[in-house]
Amino acid sequence: MTIPATTATDFRSESVRSLYDQLILHLKGLSHLKGINGILRWDQEVMMPKKAAAARAAQLSTLAGLTHEKKTSPILGALLDELEYRITTEDLSPALNPYELANIRLARKDYQEETLLPTELVKNIAALNSKAVVAWVEARKESEFSKFAPFLEDQVKILRQKVAYKMKGGVCEDARLINQKARASLGLSDEDACYKGYYQVLLDSFEPGFKDDHLQALFSDLKEHLVPLIAKIREKNFQHDNSYIEGDFDIKRQTEFTHSISKLIGFDTDAGRLDISTHPFTGGAHPTDVRMTTRYIINKLKEGITATVHETGHSLYEQGRNREYVDTPVSRALSLGVHESQSLLWERMVMLNKPFWTYTLPLLKEQFAEHESLQSITVDQFYNAFNRVQSGFIRFESDELTYPMHIILRYEIEKALIEGDIEVADVPAHWSAKVKEYLGLEVTEDRLGCLQDIHWSSSAIGYFPTYTLGSIYAVQIYTHAKEKIPDLEEHLARGEFHVLKEWLNKNVHEQGSLRESGDDLVFDLTGKHLDSSLYVKYLTDKYTAIYGL
Amino acid sequence: MTIPATTATDFRSESVRSLYDQLILHLKGLSHLKGINGILRWDQEVMMPKKAAAARAAQLSTLAGLTHEKKTSPILGALLDELEYRITTEDLSPALNPYELANIRLARKDYQEETLLPTELVKNIAALNSKAVVAWVEARKESEFSKFAPFLEDQVKILRQKVAYKMKGGVCEDARLINQKARASLGLSDEDACYKGYYQVLLDSFEPGFKDDHLQALFSDLKEHLVPLIAKIREKNFQHDNSYIEGDFDIKRQTEFTHSISKLIGFDTDAGRLDISTHPFTGGAHPTDVRMTTRYIINKLKEGITATVHETGHSLYEQGRNREYVDTPVSRALSLGVHESQSLLWERMVMLNKPFWTYTLPLLKEQFAEHESLQSITVDQFYNAFNRVQSGFIRFESDELTYPMHIILRYEIEKALIEGDIEVADVPAHWSAKVKEYLGLEVTEDRLGCLQDIHWSSSAIGYFPTYTLGSIYAVQIYTHAKEKIPDLEEHLARGEFHVLKEWLNKNVHEQGSLRESGDDLVFDLTGKHLDSSLYVKYLTDKYTAIYGL
């Protein structure tokens, strides 16, 4: 038997620099394992032969076990304890720079998250997810919510347990305060069930540091302004012609076109790959090894372009991560919402805009020369066709104007579920009422309603808001970029996308997780907290013009 | 600090079955890590973007570190000690079957190999290999052996150190006896340098259990019979026409043809992939996830077909590994030589033979319909063209008749080097003399001589013989298959390759590492030890007919 030679006591005599270096060595090992996991996941979706599924699951499980051991190793804990002790007793800023201090903060948070849940609970969550996903697939196929409901009940219960452990462990101190305040105002004791503030903790794991009350304020504002705008367009009952992009577009030529667009925007094909998968995603192992995927459908030209530009946005963030602090926590993406802001900025602010097509429409026409009806189309016509608004039931098929409504209704329902304001059985009714109110549609089937998304079956409550946070970040960041970069849109109209890419590299990508929240990043960059007004103005101006409201 | 709770003493009260199950759990974890390594290596050669090289090296190094920890874990050692104790004190065969007993034997051997070298030596070997490969690339480019010689000196020295540790650790007991006997006959003490028997230890790590004196006997016999045969063909100074396979063959259609051949032979594309890489290889993660590669050159049709069939042979072995004992040592390939026997059996016994082309030549003609000169070619003509013999300098470009000569000369030189019978400086002279004697050629450049192969720069001394052992195994196994399967070659001529594949699955692939050497496998299968006479007869008959000797 060997016993690790170093204990916390031994660290007392070491310099902060030496402790930090030991921490980084450990964290780099963890980053390598995460990178390996990224390649295996990519391979699974893109390359793996189908009979290998069971073997791959076993390999991933062994890797996860080793990663967990390394994440919870006593040496790591002792190092972090000692560094924490130093932070409380001396000023570390002469010894460590802000990036290094952020690494300690992030490592502590990761360690805490990894160690504070009982192993039994972690296993139960994994087991429930496996069963619940299968049940969800089945329930959705039969469009029968009642078949999924018991699993959603269990998810709510188990997530509440998880939150309780996290609160007790000191994660999201503000959520604990919200809970205490609620108990006090309701006259409840510590033993009484009360789940107020619980959603904040779930949100925090996807969007670190973002406050639920801030989110609620943003979403209220969006509802107030966008619901009437969507209604106006619906009532206008008019659509721009898009017949010239509805035909069949050869897949090979779609592939060539989107690959060239992706490179033009700035994707470095020597530091990443673009392949095909059923569901487009961006993954990989390292800023020098980014793996993104897209998909093509012969009669849906717009989908292939949109998916590729979207994933390219994610990939630029990944490729642009801070190289000086590579393989350490501070170099990682700040949050899901900020990651989504980078994909949406390129997809919506850039690709769904006129300067982009001023440059690329001639290329598209050339690539699809046999599509005669396309050849005479102007940039304005194309822009109108690509930006058609149409309320629908399915979130991921939605346009940028109706999309936030899909998110807001999910947020309202999942928060009310977790915090005990509604019951699982009532979900379909709430869903229908909100779809009617926000989008003017009648939900006729659970399949098209509350059963459409996988998230709730796999414990991902608190995830949905990050999609719309991403759009709000994107507008605020892009608006600021336009102020800072002279003639930005003239550059884009000349295909000089590197101007924007490099600005984002410096102001977003290389910043990584230096700050504690996406809101802090936006505040330091633009001088304002995240604010829905720019987003509302962007959508209102754009669609008022497109639909002549 | 946590201390593993279980020690060897605690195992004393457990049943053999329980100990075995714990061992298997540990070994399966190791197999998963090996599988992950296989996917990462494949990805590196086939998919990885070029800037990712450094990141991948770091990931592989972290994975190797964790694998080493797991391979040398005290718990594993204690489990093996206890099982070893049980084996010496009781009869385990009622509790464990032969596959299970083999797993214990192999796990012990692996543990021993992994633990008996000092960490310092392992690091020094890795460091030397890195430097030596770079030096070899440089020396080969300049065709200047003296630039590589110091690194080869170091390789010889460090490999002797490795062997000494292994001998002391009880690996290859027979090699230690050879050494003792040599010392005695030379009147040397234990302190005097004497390297007799050292080659046996190196050979053992590539071809477990195979005896160097057996190898030497086989190679002497080959030299005796093949050198005159090669000379006769050279003196005949005649070549069959192969102009019709020398032109440009469209790469896309080569790809389609070889993929269809590979599937026809029995490669399961749902349990593996066939891709392209600079150097063809077979790797992957599991019998359900085999990754093989090939390559195509527009004016070298034969190369693409040969490489694909060769790798398909390796892949059938991998896909055919015992599923009941999957992820445990007994299911792995027995040795490099036996692995090579499976690729060579399909490449030479099958593909370089008439029954194969009886079925596939019509398919080839159809696939390349625009090659008019090919259309009138008969199977006999094609067979003669595909089997041209031509002495050359380069091992991997050689035909099946001259290939063994390249191996034998390397074997003789590397063995003499390790055992101290020649000096590094004399290698080029020995090389030239042997090439002259065996192949009738004058080596004019080191580049075409002793600098052509990477093996010696990366510690792979003892590896070369496995190539020719593979051919000898292949002939003996195929000859036996013909005796056992009625009308085997009639089946092949009808494209019914599954008959042979299934026989190999059962008699070779599923046998895995149940036996202690390739010779044991061949003996149990054919009733004879590995014997060069069948191989000599095969080559003599075949090439006497082709060249009308």
Side-chain angles (χ1 to χ4, degrees), chain B residues 128-129 131-133 135-136 139 145-160 413-414 417-418 422-428 431 450-451 453-461 464:
Chain B
L128 174 58
N129 288 349
K131 282 186 296 182
V133 168
W136 166 73
F145 179 73
S146 65
K147 297 212 165 166
F148 176 58
F151 297 89
L152 185 53
E153 297 268 13
D154 288 346
Q155 285 289 6
V156 169
K157 278 184 212 151
I158 211 162
L159 283 172
R160 284 176 182 163
I413 291 172
E414 67 181 19
L417 264 179
I418 283 293
I422 64 169
E423 296 301 317
V424 165
D426 302 327
V427 166
W431 193 288
C450 59
L451 285 179
D453 286 313
I454 194 174
H455 303 58
W456 291 346
S457 66
S458 49
S459 291
I461 290 182
F464 281 123

Side-chain angles (χ1 to χ4, degrees), chain A residues 1-4 6-7 28-29 32-33 35-36 39-40 42-43 46-52 55-56 58-60 62-63 66 70 74-75 78 268-273 285-286 288-291, chain B residues 1-4 6-7 28-29 32-33 35-36 39-40 42-43 46-52 55-56 58-60 62-63 66 70 74-75 78 268-273 285-286 288-291:
Chain A
M1 298 296 113
T2 53
I3 300 164
T6 315
T7 66
K28 288 200 171 189
H32 300 153
L33 295 184
I36 291 170
I39 294 300
L40 294 176
W42 169 83
D43 182 85
V46 182
M47 296 291 162
M48 191 181 82
K50 65 182 182 191
K51 287 183 183 170
R56 179 58 53 86
Q59 290 148 8
L60 286 169
T62 292
L63 185 67
L66 288 175
K70 212 172 161 67
I75 290 286
D268 180 355
T269 52
D270 288 337
R273 297 179 53 93
H286 191 267
T288 58
D289 196 2
V290 174
R291 309 287 174 106
Chain B
M1 296 298 115
T2 52
I3 301 163
T6 316
T7 66
K28 288 201 171 189
H32 299 154
L33 295 184
I36 291 170
I39 294 299
L40 294 176
W42 169 84
D43 182 86
V46 183
M47 295 290 160
M48 192 182 81
K50 66 181 181 190
K51 287 183 184 170
R56 179 59 53 88
Q59 289 149 10
L60 286 169
T62 292
L63 185 66
L66 287 175
K70 211 172 161 68
I75 290 285
D268 180 354
T269 52
D270 288 336
R273 296 179 54 93
H286 191 267
T288 58
D289 196 3
V290 174
R291 310 286 174 106

Side-chain angles (χ1 to χ4, degrees), chain A residues 116-127:
Chain A
L116 56 70
L117 298 185
T119 314
E120 201 56 26
L121 180 63
V122 174
K123 279 188 188 160
N124 289 344
I125 291 174

Side-chain angles (χ1 to χ4, degrees), chain A residues 431-491:
Chain A
W431 193 288
S432 300
K434 287 176 191 292
V435 170
K436 177 77 190 160
E437 182 189 344
Y438 305 160
L439 297 166
L441 299 172
E442 301 281 353
V443 177
T444 51
E445 293 181 80
D446 293 340
R447 197 169 58 78
L448 301 175
C450 58
L451 285 179
Q452 67 184 270
D453 285 313
I454 195 173
H455 303 58
W456 291 347
S457 66
S458 50
S459 290
I461 290 181
Y463 186 119
F464 281 123
T466 66
Y467 291 115
T468 290
L469 278 176
S471 337
I472 310 176
Y473 287 131
V475 171
Q476 193 157 335
I477 292 170
Y478 185 73
T479 306
H480 188 68
K482 277 203 293 191
E483 286 167 27
K484 291 288 169 183
I485 306 172
D487 311 327
L488 172 59
E489 298 199 333
E490 285 80 355
H491 282 296

